[in-house]
PDB file of all heavy atoms in Angstrom:
ATOM      1  N   CYS A   5       2.473  10.741   3.087  1.00 97.00           N
ATOM      2  CA  CYS A   5       2.925  10.975   4.442  1.00 97.00           C
ATOM      3  C   CYS A   5       3.219  12.432   4.682  1.00 97.00           C
ATOM      4  O   CYS A   5       3.896  13.018   3.782  1.00 97.00           O
ATOM      5  CB  CYS A   5       4.169  10.162   4.714  1.00 97.00           C
ATOM      6  SG  CYS A   5       4.947  10.355   6.382  1.00 97.00           S
ATOM      7  N   ALA A   7       5.244  14.707   7.469  1.00 98.00           N
ATOM      8  CA  ALA A   7       6.153  14.744   8.545  1.00 98.00           C
ATOM      9  C   ALA A   7       6.332  16.165   9.096  1.00 98.00           C
ATOM     10  O   ALA A   7       6.749  17.118   8.325  1.00 98.00           O
ATOM     11  CB  ALA A   7       7.555  14.154   8.139  1.00 98.00           C
ATOM     12  N   ASP A  15      15.318  15.062  10.402  1.00 97.00           N
ATOM     13  CA  ASP A  15      14.325  14.801   9.311  1.00 97.00           C
ATOM     14  C   ASP A  15      13.819  13.305   9.427  1.00 97.00           C
ATOM     15  O   ASP A  15      14.243  12.560  10.362  1.00 97.00           O
ATOM     16  CB  ASP A  15      14.883  15.184   7.953  1.00 97.00           C
ATOM     17  CG  ASP A  15      16.171  14.407   7.692  1.00 97.00           C
ATOM     18  OD1 ASP A  15      16.520  13.371   8.310  1.00 97.00           O
ATOM     19  OD2 ASP A  15      16.922  14.813   6.690  1.00 97.00           O
ATOM     20  N   ALA A  16      13.228  12.953   8.306  1.00 97.00           N
ATOM     21  CA  ALA A  16      12.612  11.559   8.357  1.00 97.00           C
ATOM     22  C   ALA A  16      13.788  10.437   8.217  1.00 97.00           C
ATOM     23  O   ALA A  16      13.528   9.301   8.470  1.00 97.00           O
ATOM     24  CB  ALA A  16      11.629  11.443   7.300  1.00 97.00           C
ATOM     25  N   GLY A  17      14.897  10.804   7.602  1.00 97.00           N
ATOM     26  CA  GLY A  17      16.094   9.896   7.545  1.00 97.00           C
ATOM     27  C   GLY A  17      15.736   8.590   6.866  1.00 97.00           C
ATOM     28  O   GLY A  17      15.300   8.534   5.748  1.00 97.00           O
ATOM     29  N   VAL A  18      16.052   7.503   7.682  1.00 97.00           N
ATOM     30  CA  VAL A  18      15.778   6.191   7.102  1.00 97.00           C
ATOM     31  C   VAL A  18      14.322   6.021   6.795  1.00 97.00           C
ATOM     32  O   VAL A  18      14.045   5.272   5.803  1.00 97.00           O
ATOM     33  CB  VAL A  18      16.264   5.155   8.181  1.00 97.00           C
ATOM     34  CG1 VAL A  18      15.865   3.716   7.873  1.00 97.00           C
ATOM     35  CG2 VAL A  18      17.713   5.299   8.403  1.00 97.00           C
ATOM     36  N   LEU A  19      13.417   6.563   7.411  1.00 98.00           N
ATOM     37  CA  LEU A  19      12.084   6.320   7.109  1.00 98.00           C
ATOM     38  C   LEU A  19      11.713   6.846   5.807  1.00 98.00           C
ATOM     39  O   LEU A  19      10.911   6.322   5.017  1.00 98.00           O
ATOM     40  CB  LEU A  19      11.131   7.044   8.214  1.00 98.00           C
ATOM     41  CG  LEU A  19       9.620   7.137   7.884  1.00 98.00           C
ATOM     42  CD1 LEU A  19       9.153   5.623   7.915  1.00 98.00           C
ATOM     43  CD2 LEU A  19       8.928   7.937   8.943  1.00 98.00           C
ATOM     44  N   ALA A  20      12.389   7.906   5.298  1.00 97.00           N
ATOM     45  CA  ALA A  20      12.191   8.439   3.950  1.00 97.00           C
ATOM     46  C   ALA A  20      12.516   7.355   2.904  1.00 97.00           C
ATOM     47  O   ALA A  20      11.787   7.258   1.923  1.00 97.00           O
ATOM     48  CB  ALA A  20      13.002   9.728   3.703  1.00 97.00           C
ATOM     49  N   ASP A  21      13.637   6.604   3.172  1.00 96.00           N
ATOM     50  CA  ASP A  21      13.972   5.491   2.219  1.00 96.00           C
ATOM     51  C   ASP A  21      12.969   4.468   2.238  1.00 96.00           C
ATOM     52  O   ASP A  21      12.550   3.821   1.178  1.00 96.00           O
ATOM     53  CB  ASP A  21      15.293   4.872   2.645  1.00 96.00           C
ATOM     54  CG  ASP A  21      16.432   5.912   2.597  1.00 96.00           C
ATOM     55  OD1 ASP A  21      16.250   6.854   1.782  1.00 96.00           O
ATOM     56  OD2 ASP A  21      17.456   5.715   3.191  1.00 96.00           O
ATOM     57  N   VAL A  22      12.426   4.082   3.450  1.00 97.00           N
ATOM     58  CA  VAL A  22      11.356   3.029   3.535  1.00 97.00           C
ATOM     59  C   VAL A  22      10.135   3.419   2.830  1.00 97.00           C
ATOM     60  O   VAL A  22       9.466   2.660   1.948  1.00 97.00           O
ATOM     61  CB  VAL A  22      11.094   2.799   5.020  1.00 97.00           C
ATOM     62  CG1 VAL A  22       9.891   1.745   5.130  1.00 97.00           C
ATOM     63  CG2 VAL A  22      12.324   2.134   5.690  1.00 97.00           C
ATOM     64  N   LEU A  23       9.761   4.697   2.992  1.00 97.00           N
ATOM     65  CA  LEU A  23       8.532   5.196   2.272  1.00 97.00           C
ATOM     66  C   LEU A  23       8.732   5.226   0.717  1.00 97.00           C
ATOM     67  O   LEU A  23       7.888   4.814   0.024  1.00 97.00           O
ATOM     68  CB  LEU A  23       8.111   6.504   2.902  1.00 97.00           C
ATOM     69  CG  LEU A  23       7.693   6.672   4.320  1.00 97.00           C
ATOM     70  CD1 LEU A  23       7.439   8.122   4.730  1.00 97.00           C
ATOM     71  CD2 LEU A  23       6.365   5.790   4.466  1.00 97.00           C
ATOM     72  N   ALA A  24       9.798   5.711   0.356  1.00 97.00           N
ATOM     73  CA  ALA A  24      10.142   5.843  -1.161  1.00 97.00           C
ATOM     74  C   ALA A  24      10.041   4.459  -1.762  1.00 97.00           C
ATOM     75  O   ALA A  24       9.558   4.218  -2.861  1.00 97.00           O
ATOM     76  CB  ALA A  24      11.476   6.502  -1.331  1.00 97.00           C
ATOM     77  N   ALA A  25      10.638   3.437  -1.084  1.00 96.00           N
ATOM     78  CA  ALA A  25      10.638   2.019  -1.702  1.00 96.00           C
ATOM     79  C   ALA A  25       9.201   1.524  -1.746  1.00 96.00           C
ATOM     80  O   ALA A  25       9.066   0.664  -2.555  1.00 96.00           O
ATOM     81  CB  ALA A  25      11.479   1.188  -0.706  1.00 96.00           C
ATOM     82  N   TRP A  28       5.490   5.749  -1.433  1.00 97.00           N
ATOM     83  CA  TRP A  28       4.823   6.814  -0.672  1.00 97.00           C
ATOM     84  C   TRP A  28       5.349   8.193  -1.133  1.00 97.00           C
ATOM     85  O   TRP A  28       6.588   8.370  -1.359  1.00 97.00           O
ATOM     86  CB  TRP A  28       4.976   6.552   0.643  1.00 97.00           C
ATOM     87  CG  TRP A  28       4.145   5.559   1.352  1.00 97.00           C
ATOM     88  CD1 TRP A  28       4.090   4.198   1.079  1.00 97.00           C
ATOM     89  CD2 TRP A  28       2.998   5.687   2.186  1.00 97.00           C
ATOM     90  NE1 TRP A  28       3.117   3.522   1.830  1.00 97.00           N
ATOM     91  CE2 TRP A  28       2.495   4.399   2.502  1.00 97.00           C
ATOM     92  CE3 TRP A  28       2.494   6.881   2.800  1.00 97.00           C
ATOM     93  CZ2 TRP A  28       1.413   4.286   3.370  1.00 97.00           C
ATOM     94  CZ3 TRP A  28       1.422   6.647   3.714  1.00 97.00           C
ATOM     95  CH2 TRP A  28       0.890   5.398   3.920  1.00 97.00           C
ATOM     96  N   LEU A  30       6.288  11.858   0.435  1.00 97.00           N
ATOM     97  CA  LEU A  30       6.599  12.469   1.781  1.00 97.00           C
ATOM     98  C   LEU A  30       6.836  13.955   1.678  1.00 97.00           C
ATOM     99  O   LEU A  30       7.524  14.562   0.900  1.00 97.00           O
ATOM    100  CB  LEU A  30       7.971  11.992   2.249  1.00 97.00           C
ATOM    101  CG  LEU A  30       8.631  12.487   3.449  1.00 97.00           C
ATOM    102  CD1 LEU A  30       7.605  12.449   4.701  1.00 97.00           C
ATOM    103  CD2 LEU A  30       9.904  11.932   3.752  1.00 97.00           C
ATOM    104  N   LEU A  50      -0.482   8.906   6.512  1.00 98.00           N
ATOM    105  CA  LEU A  50       0.483   8.617   7.598  1.00 98.00           C
ATOM    106  C   LEU A  50       0.999  10.019   8.088  1.00 98.00           C
ATOM    107  O   LEU A  50       1.434  10.935   7.295  1.00 98.00           O
ATOM    108  CB  LEU A  50       1.661   7.881   7.120  1.00 98.00           C
ATOM    109  CG  LEU A  50       2.778   7.655   8.123  1.00 98.00           C
ATOM    110  CD1 LEU A  50       2.407   6.836   9.349  1.00 98.00           C
ATOM    111  CD2 LEU A  50       3.906   6.931   7.366  1.00 98.00           C
ATOM    112  N   LEU A  51       1.015  10.276   9.454  1.00 98.00           N
ATOM    113  CA  LEU A  51       1.628  11.355  10.010  1.00 98.00           C
ATOM    114  C   LEU A  51       2.908  11.068  10.868  1.00 98.00           C
ATOM    115  O   LEU A  51       2.684   9.984  11.640  1.00 98.00           O
ATOM    116  CB  LEU A  51       0.628  12.151  10.888  1.00 98.00           C
ATOM    117  CG  LEU A  51       1.128  13.363  11.678  1.00 98.00           C
ATOM    118  CD1 LEU A  51       1.435  14.462  10.620  1.00 98.00           C
ATOM    119  CD2 LEU A  51       0.218  13.916  12.732  1.00 98.00           C
ATOM    120  N   VAL A  52       3.951  11.784  10.696  1.00 98.00           N
ATOM    121  CA  VAL A  52       5.122  11.471  11.535  1.00 98.00           C
ATOM    122  C   VAL A  52       5.523  12.827  12.153  1.00 98.00           C
ATOM    123  O   VAL A  52       5.551  13.932  11.511  1.00 98.00           O
ATOM    124  CB  VAL A  52       6.322  11.028  10.626  1.00 98.00           C
ATOM    125  CG1 VAL A  52       7.498  10.962  11.495  1.00 98.00           C
ATOM    126  CG2 VAL A  52       5.958   9.782   9.914  1.00 98.00           C
ATOM    127  N   ILE A  53       5.651  12.777  13.482  1.00 98.00           N
ATOM    128  CA  ILE A  53       6.050  14.059  14.205  1.00 98.00           C
ATOM    129  C   ILE A  53       7.447  13.857  14.665  1.00 98.00           C
ATOM    130  O   ILE A  53       7.791  12.797  15.416  1.00 98.00           O
ATOM    131  CB  ILE A  53       5.109  14.339  15.373  1.00 98.00           C
ATOM    132  CG1 ILE A  53       3.656  14.202  15.021  1.00 98.00           C
ATOM    133  CG2 ILE A  53       5.372  15.729  15.878  1.00 98.00           C
ATOM    134  CD1 ILE A  53       2.948  12.940  15.458  1.00 98.00           C
ATOM    135  N   LEU A  54       8.388  14.567  14.150  1.00 98.00           N
ATOM    136  CA  LEU A  54       9.767  14.422  14.340  1.00 98.00           C
ATOM    137  C   LEU A  54      10.247  15.102  15.682  1.00 98.00           C
ATOM    138  O   LEU A  54       9.533  15.791  16.377  1.00 98.00           O
ATOM    139  CB  LEU A  54      10.584  14.819  13.163  1.00 98.00           C
ATOM    140  CG  LEU A  54      10.258  14.110  11.861  1.00 98.00           C
ATOM    141  CD1 LEU A  54      10.817  14.789  10.596  1.00 98.00           C
ATOM    142  CD2 LEU A  54      10.867  12.713  12.101  1.00 98.00           C
ATOM    143  N   LEU A  87       3.104   8.303  13.770  1.00 98.00           N
ATOM    144  CA  LEU A  87       4.366   7.916  14.462  1.00 98.00           C
ATOM    145  C   LEU A  87       4.989   9.149  15.055  1.00 98.00           C
ATOM    146  O   LEU A  87       5.107  10.190  14.319  1.00 98.00           O
ATOM    147  CB  LEU A  87       5.335   7.248  13.364  1.00 98.00           C
ATOM    148  CG  LEU A  87       6.780   7.099  13.879  1.00 98.00           C
ATOM    149  CD1 LEU A  87       6.863   6.001  14.865  1.00 98.00           C
ATOM    150  CD2 LEU A  87       7.728   6.729  12.698  1.00 98.00           C
ATOM    151  N   VAL A  89       8.404  10.634  17.172  1.00 98.00           N
ATOM    152  CA  VAL A  89       9.773  10.376  17.483  1.00 98.00           C
ATOM    153  C   VAL A  89      10.341  11.454  18.368  1.00 98.00           C
ATOM    154  O   VAL A  89      10.304  12.604  18.111  1.00 98.00           O
ATOM    155  CB  VAL A  89      10.640  10.336  16.334  1.00 98.00           C
ATOM    156  CG1 VAL A  89      12.105   9.982  16.724  1.00 98.00           C
ATOM    157  CG2 VAL A  89      10.175   9.227  15.363  1.00 98.00           C
ATOM    158  N   ILE A 177      15.285   5.906  15.777  1.00 96.00           N
ATOM    159  CA  ILE A 177      15.745   4.832  14.841  1.00 96.00           C
ATOM    160  C   ILE A 177      15.685   5.259  13.369  1.00 96.00           C
ATOM    161  O   ILE A 177      16.011   4.584  12.506  1.00 96.00           O
ATOM    162  CB  ILE A 177      14.825   3.619  14.953  1.00 96.00           C
ATOM    163  CG1 ILE A 177      13.352   3.928  14.724  1.00 96.00           C
ATOM    164  CG2 ILE A 177      14.957   2.885  16.419  1.00 96.00           C
ATOM    165  CD1 ILE A 177      12.461   2.692  14.636  1.00 96.00           C
ATOM    166  N   GLU A 178      15.268   6.536  13.270  1.00 97.00           N
ATOM    167  CA  GLU A 178      15.207   7.171  11.908  1.00 97.00           C
ATOM    168  C   GLU A 178      16.461   7.823  11.534  1.00 97.00           C
ATOM    169  O   GLU A 178      16.728   8.171  10.300  1.00 97.00           O
ATOM    170  CB  GLU A 178      13.969   8.121  11.806  1.00 97.00           C
ATOM    171  CG  GLU A 178      14.249   9.479  12.197  1.00 97.00           C
ATOM    172  CD  GLU A 178      14.513   9.704  13.743  1.00 97.00           C
ATOM    173  OE1 GLU A 178      14.393   8.673  14.419  1.00 97.00           O
ATOM    174  OE2 GLU A 178      15.023  10.769  14.150  1.00 97.00           O
ATOM    175  N   ALA A 179      17.395   8.191  12.458  1.00 96.00           N
ATOM    176  CA  ALA A 179      18.481   8.970  12.181  1.00 96.00           C
ATOM    177  C   ALA A 179      19.578   8.305  11.343  1.00 96.00           C
ATOM    178  O   ALA A 179      19.834   7.152  11.585  1.00 96.00           O
ATOM    179  CB  ALA A 179      19.141   9.470  13.580  1.00 96.00           C
ATOM    180  N   ARG A 180      20.187   9.061  10.480  1.00 95.00           N
ATOM    181  CA  ARG A 180      21.241   8.550   9.698  1.00 95.00           C
ATOM    182  C   ARG A 180      22.597   8.773  10.450  1.00 95.00           C
ATOM    183  O   ARG A 180      22.854   9.924  10.686  1.00 95.00           O
ATOM    184  CB  ARG A 180      21.307   9.134   8.262  1.00 95.00           C
ATOM    185  CG  ARG A 180      20.022   8.977   7.430  1.00 95.00           C
ATOM    186  CD  ARG A 180      20.195   9.601   6.106  1.00 95.00           C
ATOM    187  NE  ARG A 180      19.009   9.712   5.347  1.00 95.00           N
ATOM    188  CZ  ARG A 180      18.485   8.755   4.553  1.00 95.00           C
ATOM    189  NH1 ARG A 180      19.060   7.572   4.539  1.00 95.00           N
ATOM    190  NH2 ARG A 180      17.345   8.952   3.903  1.00 95.00           N
ATOM    191  N   GLY A 220      16.728  -0.202  12.558  1.00 96.00           N
ATOM    192  CA  GLY A 220      15.662   0.785  12.481  1.00 96.00           C
ATOM    193  C   GLY A 220      14.774   0.719  11.233  1.00 96.00           C
ATOM    194  O   GLY A 220      13.501   0.741  11.304  1.00 96.00           O
ATOM    195  N   ARG A 221      15.324   0.361  10.100  1.00 97.00           N
ATOM    196  CA  ARG A 221      14.521   0.028   8.854  1.00 97.00           C
ATOM    197  C   ARG A 221      13.699  -1.170   9.034  1.00 97.00           C
ATOM    198  O   ARG A 221      12.500  -1.107   8.609  1.00 97.00           O
ATOM    199  CB  ARG A 221      15.595  -0.165   7.758  1.00 97.00           C
ATOM    200  CG  ARG A 221      14.937  -0.268   6.344  1.00 97.00           C
ATOM    201  CD  ARG A 221      15.915  -0.307   5.194  1.00 97.00           C
ATOM    202  NE  ARG A 221      16.581   1.031   5.055  1.00 97.00           N
ATOM    203  CZ  ARG A 221      17.848   1.254   5.367  1.00 97.00           C
ATOM    204  NH1 ARG A 221      18.551   0.291   5.845  1.00 97.00           N
ATOM    205  NH2 ARG A 221      18.338   2.391   5.077  1.00 97.00           N
ATOM    206  N   LEU A 224      10.680  -0.082  11.292  1.00 98.00           N
ATOM    207  CA  LEU A 224       9.755   0.822  10.692  1.00 98.00           C
ATOM    208  C   LEU A 224       9.013   0.070   9.561  1.00 98.00           C
ATOM    209  O   LEU A 224       7.769   0.296   9.386  1.00 98.00           O
ATOM    210  CB  LEU A 224      10.598   2.018   9.940  1.00 98.00           C
ATOM    211  CG  LEU A 224      11.173   3.011  10.887  1.00 98.00           C
ATOM    212  CD1 LEU A 224      12.235   3.909  10.189  1.00 98.00           C
ATOM    213  CD2 LEU A 224      10.117   3.824  11.615  1.00 98.00           C
ATOM    214  N   GLU A 225       9.577  -0.835   8.854  1.00 97.00           N
ATOM    215  CA  GLU A 225       8.854  -1.635   7.927  1.00 97.00           C
ATOM    216  C   GLU A 225       7.843  -2.536   8.572  1.00 97.00           C
ATOM    217  O   GLU A 225       6.717  -2.571   8.073  1.00 97.00           O
ATOM    218  CB  GLU A 225       9.864  -2.514   7.059  1.00 97.00           C
ATOM    219  CG  GLU A 225      10.718  -1.658   6.054  1.00 97.00           C
ATOM    220  CD  GLU A 225      11.829  -2.516   5.424  1.00 97.00           C
ATOM    221  OE1 GLU A 225      12.131  -3.586   5.995  1.00 97.00           O
ATOM    222  OE2 GLU A 225      12.356  -2.071   4.389  1.00 97.00           O
ATOM    223  N   TRP A 227       6.358  -1.936  11.453  1.00 98.00           N
ATOM    224  CA  TRP A 227       5.299  -1.120  12.011  1.00 98.00           C
ATOM    225  C   TRP A 227       4.285  -0.679  10.931  1.00 98.00           C
ATOM    226  O   TRP A 227       3.087  -0.797  11.079  1.00 98.00           O
ATOM    227  CB  TRP A 227       5.793   0.014  12.776  1.00 98.00           C
ATOM    228  CG  TRP A 227       4.748   0.926  13.224  1.00 98.00           C
ATOM    229  CD1 TRP A 227       3.899   0.562  14.320  1.00 98.00           C
ATOM    230  CD2 TRP A 227       4.297   2.142  12.737  1.00 98.00           C
ATOM    231  NE1 TRP A 227       2.994   1.595  14.483  1.00 98.00           N
ATOM    232  CE2 TRP A 227       3.199   2.534  13.537  1.00 98.00           C
ATOM    233  CE3 TRP A 227       4.752   2.963  11.650  1.00 98.00           C
ATOM    234  CZ2 TRP A 227       2.523   3.721  13.313  1.00 98.00           C
ATOM    235  CZ3 TRP A 227       4.050   4.100  11.440  1.00 98.00           C
ATOM    236  CH2 TRP A 227       2.953   4.470  12.278  1.00 98.00           C
ATOM    237  N   LEU A 228       4.972  -0.246   9.771  1.00 97.00           N
ATOM    238  CA  LEU A 228       4.097   0.230   8.638  1.00 97.00           C
ATOM    239  C   LEU A 228       3.227  -0.955   8.149  1.00 97.00           C
ATOM    240  O   LEU A 228       2.058  -0.682   7.753  1.00 97.00           O
ATOM    241  CB  LEU A 228       4.973   0.671   7.508  1.00 97.00           C
ATOM    242  CG  LEU A 228       5.573   2.084   7.708  1.00 97.00           C
ATOM    243  CD1 LEU A 228       6.582   2.396   6.688  1.00 97.00           C
ATOM    244  CD2 LEU A 228       4.516   3.104   7.725  1.00 97.00           C
TER     245      LEU A 228
END
Side-chain angles (χ1 to χ4, degrees):
C5 174
D15 58 18
V18 170
L19 176 60
D21 297 338
V22 172
L23 292 174
W28 282 68
L30 171 62
L50 172 65
L51 177 70
V52 180
I53 313 101
L54 295 165
L87 171 65
V89 178
I177 58 172
E178 85 295 349
R180 299 183 193 276
R221 185 174 289 107
L224 292 167
E225 288 173 343
W227 180 73
L228 285 170

